[in-house]
Amino acid sequence: MSVTSKRAQGRRLMPKAGRWIGVAALTLALTSCGITYNSPTVNSAADGFQVTVLEMSPTVVASANRSAYAPQSLPASFFANAGGGSARGVGAIPPTPYLPDESRETLEFRPLPDVAPQPYRIGVGDELLLATKSRNSVEELSGLLAAANQRQGYTVRDDGNIAIPDVGSIPVAGLTIEEAENRLFQVLVDNQIDPTFSLEVSRFNSQRVAVGGAVRSPTIVPITPNDLTLGEAIIAAGGTDIRDREFASIRVYRQGTLYQIPLETYLQNPGMQDKLMQAGDAVFVDTSYDLDRALEFYRAKIDVISLRQSARNSALANLQSEINIRRGALEEDRSNFDRREKYGANGRQYVYLAGEVRGQNRFALPFNDRATLADVLYNEGGFDTTTGDPSEIYVLRGDPQAGYGDIVIAYHLNARNAAKLILATKFEMRPDDIIFIEEQPITKWNRALQQLFPVLLRSAQNAL
């Protein structure tokens, strides 16, 4: 090739090289100026706004949660029910028996105090049998025994005395049998009567214990010289009549004090059964929960309502109609609320999501409850850590003391350490809060290059 032709070829290549150099210079200029891609970020210096960035900590979260806020409430119809109505013509509905829940409470144990055995003392109403030495024939003696078997004798009167013919009134109330014998002996001697006799109590009526409640045969048990225990008193009433022992107790009312022994404790501890009873004690076997008794309760109440079957059915039909009307009104009110909610006519309170979230959206704050930062984030699917920067999570809130004007508080959560996400479960949201998550640094470069490459290709094509 001649020198002339080489010079001509060089002149043709120089414009192309210049174009490539120009394209490269343009690329560097665009990249350095940063005009290819702008991503949102949180800066303390903003045009027209005063932004205060606060790092989230337990103290800061507690301070933010103290701001005045009352969640919106659902209409009262959402908390009402149709009710029981009133069955006209049926009469008052009987009260519902107590039905405990699955978690029953432990019955309180108030043990019956021990009492020392005491000799039996004669009291008003007791019948005494006085047997004296007889000079009669065997036939007459047999008649006397027959009279004793008919429980004939001397009854202690209200004044505490017994009246013996040819002797008079003798006070015996409050005396033991031995003391009463000594007194009778002295009276017989004073009246010059042979003091050979024997005295016994043929019927014990002065000291008694009442037993009732869930027993087979409620009764009144007398106290005798042999003493009376709690177990003997319950046995005298036929024993307990209980299906659900864990809900039953034995209550003893004594001299103004009420004692309670859970039935399971009573059965497992023989010492409880051997407790001595005193005159005037009242024993009541109580059960708070017995399905069979509840059923009998309702049957008895229904039997009391003496209405013909047709009248009862009519009254129950009216009751059902009244309940259905109430239920229909409640359902209509709730349905109308749902329709207003569908068309946004209820004036809901929202929190807004922006930045690197799964979907930029708004989150309606719940009724009658409070939502946290974690509730909002993870209700919407959270954020993608490949594009979102966990160290740059912000909650933007207008300063309430500034009237939501130009002052913004940015609560910053640095969740690079995942343990700090616990703060998100404590931070309460407020209406019009904005949750913003910045991009990862690599994401900014990637998106900038995605926008820059088409420009470079077009420039290269034009240059070629």
Side-chain angles (χ1 to χ4, degrees), residues 229-260:
T229 66
L230 177 59
E232 292 171 343
I234 294 177
I235 292 174
T240 60
D241 185 16
I242 294 172
R243 290 182 179 271
D244 304 286
R245 298 191 309 185
E246 65 270 25
F247 295 101
S249 63
I250 298 175
R251 295 176 179 173
V252 180
Y253 185 80
R254 173 181 292 174
Q255 297 178 356
T257 303
L258 185 63
Y259 304 95
Q260 177 172 275

PDB file of all heavy atoms in Angstrom, residues 229-260:
ATOM      1  N   THR A 229     -70.548 -38.780 115.322  1.00  0.00           N
ATOM      2  CA  THR A 229     -69.519 -38.253 114.424  1.00  0.00           C
ATOM      3  C   THR A 229     -70.156 -37.753 113.135  1.00  0.00           C
ATOM      4  O   THR A 229     -71.315 -38.070 112.822  1.00  0.00           O
ATOM      5  CB  THR A 229     -68.472 -39.325 114.098  1.00  0.00           C
ATOM      6  OG1 THR A 229     -69.100 -40.383 113.343  1.00  0.00           O
ATOM      7  CG2 THR A 229     -67.857 -39.888 115.367  1.00  0.00           C
ATOM      8  N   LEU A 230     -69.365 -36.986 112.368  1.00  0.00           N
ATOM      9  CA  LEU A 230     -69.855 -36.462 111.091  1.00  0.00           C
ATOM     10  C   LEU A 230     -70.197 -37.593 110.130  1.00  0.00           C
ATOM     11  O   LEU A 230     -71.222 -37.558 109.437  1.00  0.00           O
ATOM     12  CB  LEU A 230     -68.790 -35.541 110.474  1.00  0.00           C
ATOM     13  CG  LEU A 230     -69.110 -34.945 109.096  1.00  0.00           C
ATOM     14  CD1 LEU A 230     -70.378 -34.124 109.137  1.00  0.00           C
ATOM     15  CD2 LEU A 230     -67.939 -34.087 108.609  1.00  0.00           C
ATOM     16  N   GLY A 231     -69.341 -38.622 110.095  1.00  0.00           N
ATOM     17  CA  GLY A 231     -69.623 -39.753 109.216  1.00  0.00           C
ATOM     18  C   GLY A 231     -70.906 -40.468 109.597  1.00  0.00           C
ATOM     19  O   GLY A 231     -71.698 -40.864 108.731  1.00  0.00           O
ATOM     20  N   GLU A 232     -71.145 -40.648 110.907  1.00  0.00           N
ATOM     21  CA  GLU A 232     -72.370 -41.312 111.364  1.00  0.00           C
ATOM     22  C   GLU A 232     -73.603 -40.488 111.026  1.00  0.00           C
ATOM     23  O   GLU A 232     -74.649 -41.037 110.671  1.00  0.00           O
ATOM     24  CB  GLU A 232     -72.284 -41.555 112.867  1.00  0.00           C
ATOM     25  CG  GLU A 232     -71.235 -42.589 113.259  1.00  0.00           C
ATOM     26  CD  GLU A 232     -71.012 -42.659 114.761  1.00  0.00           C
ATOM     27  OE1 GLU A 232     -71.422 -41.693 115.460  1.00  0.00           O
ATOM     28  OE2 GLU A 232     -70.426 -43.645 115.227  1.00  0.00           O
ATOM     29  N   ALA A 233     -73.484 -39.163 111.120  1.00  0.00           N
ATOM     30  CA  ALA A 233     -74.627 -38.307 110.803  1.00  0.00           C
ATOM     31  C   ALA A 233     -74.993 -38.433 109.323  1.00  0.00           C
ATOM     32  O   ALA A 233     -76.180 -38.503 108.971  1.00  0.00           O
ATOM     33  CB  ALA A 233     -74.296 -36.854 111.152  1.00  0.00           C
ATOM     34  N   ILE A 234     -73.998 -38.474 108.451  1.00  0.00           N
ATOM     35  CA  ILE A 234     -74.285 -38.592 107.008  1.00  0.00           C
ATOM     36  C   ILE A 234     -74.833 -39.977 106.690  1.00  0.00           C
ATOM     37  O   ILE A 234     -75.751 -40.122 105.869  1.00  0.00           O
ATOM     38  CB  ILE A 234     -73.013 -38.281 106.200  1.00  0.00           C
ATOM     39  CG1 ILE A 234     -72.626 -36.809 106.382  1.00  0.00           C
ATOM     40  CG2 ILE A 234     -73.214 -38.590 104.726  1.00  0.00           C
ATOM     41  CD1 ILE A 234     -71.353 -36.405 105.685  1.00  0.00           C
ATOM     42  N   ILE A 235     -74.306 -41.013 107.342  1.00  0.00           N
ATOM     43  CA  ILE A 235     -74.834 -42.360 107.130  1.00  0.00           C
ATOM     44  C   ILE A 235     -76.284 -42.449 107.584  1.00  0.00           C
ATOM     45  O   ILE A 235     -77.122 -43.106 106.953  1.00  0.00           O
ATOM     46  CB  ILE A 235     -73.954 -43.388 107.874  1.00  0.00           C
ATOM     47  CG1 ILE A 235     -72.576 -43.471 107.210  1.00  0.00           C
ATOM     48  CG2 ILE A 235     -74.618 -44.755 107.885  1.00  0.00           C
ATOM     49  CD1 ILE A 235     -71.599 -44.345 107.958  1.00  0.00           C
ATOM     50  N   ALA A 236     -76.624 -41.780 108.700  1.00  0.00           N
ATOM     51  CA  ALA A 236     -78.001 -41.790 109.192  1.00  0.00           C
ATOM     52  C   ALA A 236     -78.949 -41.161 108.171  1.00  0.00           C
ATOM     53  O   ALA A 236     -80.144 -41.480 108.145  1.00  0.00           O
ATOM     54  CB  ALA A 236     -78.091 -41.050 110.526  1.00  0.00           C
ATOM     55  N   ALA A 237     -78.426 -40.279 107.309  1.00  0.00           N
ATOM     56  CA  ALA A 237     -79.252 -39.665 106.267  1.00  0.00           C
ATOM     57  C   ALA A 237     -79.212 -40.457 104.975  1.00  0.00           C
ATOM     58  O   ALA A 237     -79.647 -39.956 103.927  1.00  0.00           O
ATOM     59  CB  ALA A 237     -78.783 -38.233 106.013  1.00  0.00           C
ATOM     60  N   GLY A 238     -78.694 -41.680 105.020  1.00  0.00           N
ATOM     61  CA  GLY A 238     -78.672 -42.528 103.840  1.00  0.00           C
ATOM     62  C   GLY A 238     -77.430 -42.375 102.989  1.00  0.00           C
ATOM     63  O   GLY A 238     -77.339 -42.962 101.909  1.00  0.00           O
ATOM     64  N   GLY A 239     -76.468 -41.571 103.428  1.00  0.00           N
ATOM     65  CA  GLY A 239     -75.255 -41.354 102.640  1.00  0.00           C
ATOM     66  C   GLY A 239     -75.457 -40.259 101.605  1.00  0.00           C
ATOM     67  O   GLY A 239     -76.558 -39.746 101.403  1.00  0.00           O
ATOM     68  N   THR A 240     -74.376 -39.892 100.935  1.00  0.00           N
ATOM     69  CA  THR A 240     -74.443 -38.836  99.928  1.00  0.00           C
ATOM     70  C   THR A 240     -75.074 -39.357  98.643  1.00  0.00           C
ATOM     71  O   THR A 240     -75.028 -40.553  98.343  1.00  0.00           O
ATOM     72  CB  THR A 240     -73.039 -38.291  99.618  1.00  0.00           C
ATOM     73  OG1 THR A 240     -72.223 -39.359  99.126  1.00  0.00           O
ATOM     74  CG2 THR A 240     -72.411 -37.691 100.856  1.00  0.00           C
ATOM     75  N   ASP A 241     -75.655 -38.452  97.888  1.00  0.00           N
ATOM     76  CA  ASP A 241     -76.283 -38.771  96.603  1.00  0.00           C
ATOM     77  C   ASP A 241     -75.698 -37.834  95.549  1.00  0.00           C
ATOM     78  O   ASP A 241     -76.327 -36.859  95.135  1.00  0.00           O
ATOM     79  CB  ASP A 241     -77.801 -38.610  96.714  1.00  0.00           C
ATOM     80  CG  ASP A 241     -78.505 -39.042  95.436  1.00  0.00           C
ATOM     81  OD1 ASP A 241     -77.869 -39.727  94.605  1.00  0.00           O
ATOM     82  OD2 ASP A 241     -79.683 -38.669  95.256  1.00  0.00           O
ATOM     83  N   ILE A 242     -74.476 -38.114  95.129  1.00  0.00           N
ATOM     84  CA  ILE A 242     -73.719 -37.203  94.269  1.00  0.00           C
ATOM     85  C   ILE A 242     -73.085 -38.001  93.142  1.00  0.00           C
ATOM     86  O   ILE A 242     -72.544 -39.086  93.351  1.00  0.00           O
ATOM     87  CB  ILE A 242     -72.620 -36.469  95.075  1.00  0.00           C
ATOM     88  CG1 ILE A 242     -73.255 -35.543  96.111  1.00  0.00           C
ATOM     89  CG2 ILE A 242     -71.706 -35.676  94.160  1.00  0.00           C
ATOM     90  CD1 ILE A 242     -72.266 -34.926  97.059  1.00  0.00           C
ATOM     91  N   ARG A 243     -73.145 -37.441  91.935  1.00  0.00           N
ATOM     92  CA  ARG A 243     -72.487 -38.059  90.790  1.00  0.00           C
ATOM     93  C   ARG A 243     -71.115 -37.444  90.526  1.00  0.00           C
ATOM     94  O   ARG A 243     -70.186 -38.127  90.135  1.00  0.00           O
ATOM     95  CB  ARG A 243     -73.351 -37.919  89.534  1.00  0.00           C
ATOM     96  CG  ARG A 243     -74.612 -38.771  89.566  1.00  0.00           C
ATOM     97  CD  ARG A 243     -75.375 -38.618  88.262  1.00  0.00           C
ATOM     98  NE  ARG A 243     -76.577 -39.433  88.265  1.00  0.00           N
ATOM     99  CZ  ARG A 243     -76.611 -40.703  87.844  1.00  0.00           C
ATOM    100  NH1 ARG A 243     -75.496 -41.277  87.424  1.00  0.00           N
ATOM    101  NH2 ARG A 243     -77.730 -41.377  87.855  1.00  0.00           N
ATOM    102  N   ASP A 244     -71.008 -36.137  90.695  1.00  0.00           N
ATOM    103  CA  ASP A 244     -69.758 -35.426  90.384  1.00  0.00           C
ATOM    104  C   ASP A 244     -69.107 -34.994  91.698  1.00  0.00           C
ATOM    105  O   ASP A 244     -69.344 -33.901  92.200  1.00  0.00           O
ATOM    106  CB  ASP A 244     -70.035 -34.213  89.488  1.00  0.00           C
ATOM    107  CG  ASP A 244     -70.753 -34.622  88.226  1.00  0.00           C
ATOM    108  OD1 ASP A 244     -70.099 -35.201  87.355  1.00  0.00           O
ATOM    109  OD2 ASP A 244     -71.967 -34.367  88.130  1.00  0.00           O
ATOM    110  N   ARG A 245     -68.297 -35.881  92.262  1.00  0.00           N
ATOM    111  CA  ARG A 245     -67.741 -35.635  93.589  1.00  0.00           C
ATOM    112  C   ARG A 245     -66.788 -34.449  93.625  1.00  0.00           C
ATOM    113  O   ARG A 245     -66.635 -33.792  94.652  1.00  0.00           O
ATOM    114  CB  ARG A 245     -67.005 -36.883  94.080  1.00  0.00           C
ATOM    115  CG  ARG A 245     -67.902 -38.089  94.229  1.00  0.00           C
ATOM    116  CD  ARG A 245     -67.220 -39.206  94.959  1.00  0.00           C
ATOM    117  NE  ARG A 245     -65.914 -39.533  94.423  1.00  0.00           N
ATOM    118  CZ  ARG A 245     -65.176 -40.545  94.850  1.00  0.00           C
ATOM    119  NH1 ARG A 245     -65.630 -41.325  95.826  1.00  0.00           N
ATOM    120  NH2 ARG A 245     -63.992 -40.789  94.320  1.00  0.00           N
ATOM    121  N   GLU A 246     -66.125 -34.143  92.474  1.00  0.00           N
ATOM    122  CA  GLU A 246     -65.138 -33.074  92.498  1.00  0.00           C
ATOM    123  C   GLU A 246     -65.777 -31.698  92.685  1.00  0.00           C
ATOM    124  O   GLU A 246     -65.085 -30.729  92.979  1.00  0.00           O
ATOM    125  CB  GLU A 246     -64.311 -33.090  91.201  1.00  0.00           C
ATOM    126  CG  GLU A 246     -65.091 -32.781  89.945  1.00  0.00           C
ATOM    127  CD  GLU A 246     -65.661 -34.032  89.296  1.00  0.00           C
ATOM    128  OE1 GLU A 246     -65.875 -35.039  90.024  1.00  0.00           O
ATOM    129  OE2 GLU A 246     -65.924 -34.012  88.092  1.00  0.00           O
ATOM    130  N   PHE A 247     -67.100 -31.597  92.497  1.00  0.00           N
ATOM    131  CA  PHE A 247     -67.767 -30.307  92.671  1.00  0.00           C
ATOM    132  C   PHE A 247     -68.585 -30.247  93.960  1.00  0.00           C
ATOM    133  O   PHE A 247     -69.326 -29.308  94.160  1.00  0.00           O
ATOM    134  CB  PHE A 247     -68.694 -30.024  91.479  1.00  0.00           C
ATOM    135  CG  PHE A 247     -67.980 -29.860  90.178  1.00  0.00           C
ATOM    136  CD1 PHE A 247     -67.935 -30.885  89.264  1.00  0.00           C
ATOM    137  CD2 PHE A 247     -67.332 -28.676  89.873  1.00  0.00           C
ATOM    138  CE1 PHE A 247     -67.269 -30.748  88.067  1.00  0.00           C
ATOM    139  CE2 PHE A 247     -66.656 -28.527  88.688  1.00  0.00           C
ATOM    140  CZ  PHE A 247     -66.626 -29.571  87.780  1.00  0.00           C
ATOM    141  N   ALA A 248     -68.450 -31.258  94.819  1.00  0.00           N
ATOM    142  CA  ALA A 248     -69.282 -31.329  96.018  1.00  0.00           C
ATOM    143  C   ALA A 248     -68.470 -31.020  97.257  1.00  0.00           C
ATOM    144  O   ALA A 248     -67.246 -31.197  97.296  1.00  0.00           O
ATOM    145  CB  ALA A 248     -69.921 -32.711  96.135  1.00  0.00           C
ATOM    146  N   SER A 249     -69.165 -30.562  98.287  1.00  0.00           N
ATOM    147  CA  SER A 249     -68.525 -30.264  99.563  1.00  0.00           C
ATOM    148  C   SER A 249     -69.524 -30.512 100.679  1.00  0.00           C
ATOM    149  O   SER A 249     -70.739 -30.546 100.461  1.00  0.00           O
ATOM    150  CB  SER A 249     -68.036 -28.810  99.613  1.00  0.00           C
ATOM    151  OG  SER A 249     -69.133 -27.923  99.521  1.00  0.00           O
ATOM    152  N   ILE A 250     -68.982 -30.712 101.880  1.00  0.00           N
ATOM    153  CA  ILE A 250     -69.803 -30.881 103.079  1.00  0.00           C
ATOM    154  C   ILE A 250     -69.627 -29.620 103.914  1.00  0.00           C
ATOM    155  O   ILE A 250     -68.508 -29.283 104.309  1.00  0.00           O
ATOM    156  CB  ILE A 250     -69.376 -32.130 103.865  1.00  0.00           C
ATOM    157  CG1 ILE A 250     -69.567 -33.374 103.007  1.00  0.00           C
ATOM    158  CG2 ILE A 250     -70.162 -32.230 105.164  1.00  0.00           C
ATOM    159  CD1 ILE A 250     -69.058 -34.645 103.656  1.00  0.00           C
ATOM    160  N   ARG A 251     -70.725 -28.945 104.144  1.00  0.00           N
ATOM    161  CA  ARG A 251     -70.685 -27.701 104.900  1.00  0.00           C
ATOM    162  C   ARG A 251     -71.355 -27.915 106.258  1.00  0.00           C
ATOM    163  O   ARG A 251     -72.435 -28.493 106.338  1.00  0.00           O
ATOM    164  CB  ARG A 251     -71.376 -26.576 104.135  1.00  0.00           C
ATOM    165  CG  ARG A 251     -70.651 -26.228 102.835  1.00  0.00           C
ATOM    166  CD  ARG A 251     -71.391 -25.195 102.047  1.00  0.00           C
ATOM    167  NE  ARG A 251     -70.679 -24.861 100.818  1.00  0.00           N
ATOM    168  CZ  ARG A 251     -71.149 -24.079  99.857  1.00  0.00           C
ATOM    169  NH1 ARG A 251     -72.343 -23.537  99.980  1.00  0.00           N
ATOM    170  NH2 ARG A 251     -70.441 -23.842  98.786  1.00  0.00           N
ATOM    171  N   VAL A 252     -70.718 -27.439 107.303  1.00  0.00           N
ATOM    172  CA  VAL A 252     -71.245 -27.570 108.667  1.00  0.00           C
ATOM    173  C   VAL A 252     -71.377 -26.169 109.258  1.00  0.00           C
ATOM    174  O   VAL A 252     -70.405 -25.410 109.317  1.00  0.00           O
ATOM    175  CB  VAL A 252     -70.314 -28.438 109.547  1.00  0.00           C
ATOM    176  CG1 VAL A 252     -70.883 -28.547 110.961  1.00  0.00           C
ATOM    177  CG2 VAL A 252     -70.133 -29.819 108.931  1.00  0.00           C
ATOM    178  N   TYR A 253     -72.592 -25.831 109.656  1.00  0.00           N
ATOM    179  CA  TYR A 253     -72.861 -24.543 110.292  1.00  0.00           C
ATOM    180  C   TYR A 253     -72.906 -24.763 111.792  1.00  0.00           C
ATOM    181  O   TYR A 253     -73.748 -25.517 112.299  1.00  0.00           O
ATOM    182  CB  TYR A 253     -74.179 -23.966 109.779  1.00  0.00           C
ATOM    183  CG  TYR A 253     -74.472 -22.588 110.308  1.00  0.00           C
ATOM    184  CD1 TYR A 253     -73.878 -21.470 109.748  1.00  0.00           C
ATOM    185  CD2 TYR A 253     -75.350 -22.405 111.374  1.00  0.00           C
ATOM    186  CE1 TYR A 253     -74.149 -20.206 110.234  1.00  0.00           C
ATOM    187  CE2 TYR A 253     -75.618 -21.147 111.870  1.00  0.00           C
ATOM    188  CZ  TYR A 253     -75.008 -20.047 111.286  1.00  0.00           C
ATOM    189  OH  TYR A 253     -75.266 -18.796 111.772  1.00  0.00           O
ATOM    190  N   ARG A 254     -71.988 -24.120 112.518  1.00  0.00           N
ATOM    191  CA  ARG A 254     -71.894 -24.327 113.969  1.00  0.00           C
ATOM    192  C   ARG A 254     -71.699 -22.984 114.658  1.00  0.00           C
ATOM    193  O   ARG A 254     -70.703 -22.291 114.417  1.00  0.00           O
ATOM    194  CB  ARG A 254     -70.733 -25.260 114.302  1.00  0.00           C
ATOM    195  CG  ARG A 254     -70.449 -25.391 115.788  1.00  0.00           C
ATOM    196  CD  ARG A 254     -69.273 -26.297 116.055  1.00  0.00           C
ATOM    197  NE  ARG A 254     -69.576 -27.685 115.700  1.00  0.00           N
ATOM    198  CZ  ARG A 254     -68.676 -28.662 115.723  1.00  0.00           C
ATOM    199  NH1 ARG A 254     -67.421 -28.399 116.083  1.00  0.00           N
ATOM    200  NH2 ARG A 254     -69.017 -29.892 115.379  1.00  0.00           N
ATOM    201  N   GLN A 255     -72.651 -22.607 115.464  1.00  0.00           N
ATOM    202  CA  GLN A 255     -72.546 -21.422 116.320  1.00  0.00           C
ATOM    203  C   GLN A 255     -72.100 -20.179 115.527  1.00  0.00           C
ATOM    204  O   GLN A 255     -71.173 -19.470 115.908  1.00  0.00           O
ATOM    205  CB  GLN A 255     -71.575 -21.702 117.474  1.00  0.00           C
ATOM    206  CG  GLN A 255     -72.034 -22.818 118.388  1.00  0.00           C
ATOM    207  CD  GLN A 255     -71.035 -23.111 119.487  1.00  0.00           C
ATOM    208  OE1 GLN A 255     -69.961 -22.533 119.538  1.00  0.00           O
ATOM    209  NE2 GLN A 255     -71.391 -24.024 120.397  1.00  0.00           N
ATOM    210  N   GLY A 256     -72.725 -19.960 114.393  1.00  0.00           N
ATOM    211  CA  GLY A 256     -72.461 -18.753 113.618  1.00  0.00           C
ATOM    212  C   GLY A 256     -71.292 -18.839 112.665  1.00  0.00           C
ATOM    213  O   GLY A 256     -71.009 -17.874 111.951  1.00  0.00           O
ATOM    214  N   THR A 257     -70.614 -19.970 112.586  1.00  0.00           N
ATOM    215  CA  THR A 257     -69.465 -20.130 111.694  1.00  0.00           C
ATOM    216  C   THR A 257     -69.745 -21.249 110.707  1.00  0.00           C
ATOM    217  O   THR A 257     -70.299 -22.303 111.082  1.00  0.00           O
ATOM    218  CB  THR A 257     -68.188 -20.461 112.490  1.00  0.00           C
ATOM    219  OG1 THR A 257     -67.949 -19.425 113.451  1.00  0.00           O
ATOM    220  CG2 THR A 257     -66.981 -20.555 111.561  1.00  0.00           C
ATOM    221  N   LEU A 258     -69.373 -21.017 109.441  1.00  0.00           N
ATOM    222  CA  LEU A 258     -69.599 -22.008 108.392  1.00  0.00           C
ATOM    223  C   LEU A 258     -68.269 -22.672 108.043  1.00  0.00           C
ATOM    224  O   LEU A 258     -67.299 -22.006 107.668  1.00  0.00           O
ATOM    225  CB  LEU A 258     -70.191 -21.345 107.142  1.00  0.00           C
ATOM    226  CG  LEU A 258     -70.573 -22.299 106.009  1.00  0.00           C
ATOM    227  CD1 LEU A 258     -71.679 -23.245 106.466  1.00  0.00           C
ATOM    228  CD2 LEU A 258     -71.022 -21.515 104.781  1.00  0.00           C
ATOM    229  N   TYR A 259     -68.234 -23.983 108.171  1.00  0.00           N
ATOM    230  CA  TYR A 259     -67.044 -24.771 107.837  1.00  0.00           C
ATOM    231  C   TYR A 259     -67.331 -25.564 106.556  1.00  0.00           C
ATOM    232  O   TYR A 259     -68.479 -25.968 106.311  1.00  0.00           O
ATOM    233  CB  TYR A 259     -66.682 -25.716 108.977  1.00  0.00           C
ATOM    234  CG  TYR A 259     -66.469 -25.015 110.296  1.00  0.00           C
ATOM    235  CD1 TYR A 259     -67.494 -24.899 111.230  1.00  0.00           C
ATOM    236  CD2 TYR A 259     -65.237 -24.440 110.602  1.00  0.00           C
ATOM    237  CE1 TYR A 259     -67.307 -24.245 112.437  1.00  0.00           C
ATOM    238  CE2 TYR A 259     -65.043 -23.780 111.816  1.00  0.00           C
ATOM    239  CZ  TYR A 259     -66.079 -23.689 112.720  1.00  0.00           C
ATOM    240  OH  TYR A 259     -65.885 -23.029 113.911  1.00  0.00           O
ATOM    241  N   GLN A 260     -66.285 -25.781 105.767  1.00  0.00           N
ATOM    242  CA  GLN A 260     -66.462 -26.473 104.484  1.00  0.00           C
ATOM    243  C   GLN A 260     -65.361 -27.511 104.288  1.00  0.00           C
ATOM    244  O   GLN A 260     -64.172 -27.204 104.433  1.00  0.00           O
ATOM    245  CB  GLN A 260     -66.449 -25.481 103.319  1.00  0.00           C
ATOM    246  CG  GLN A 260     -66.550 -26.146 101.952  1.00  0.00           C
ATOM    247  CD  GLN A 260     -66.732 -25.140 100.849  1.00  0.00           C
ATOM    248  OE1 GLN A 260     -67.842 -24.720 100.565  1.00  0.00           O
ATOM    249  NE2 GLN A 260     -65.648 -24.740 100.223  1.00  0.00           N
TER     250      GLN A 260
END
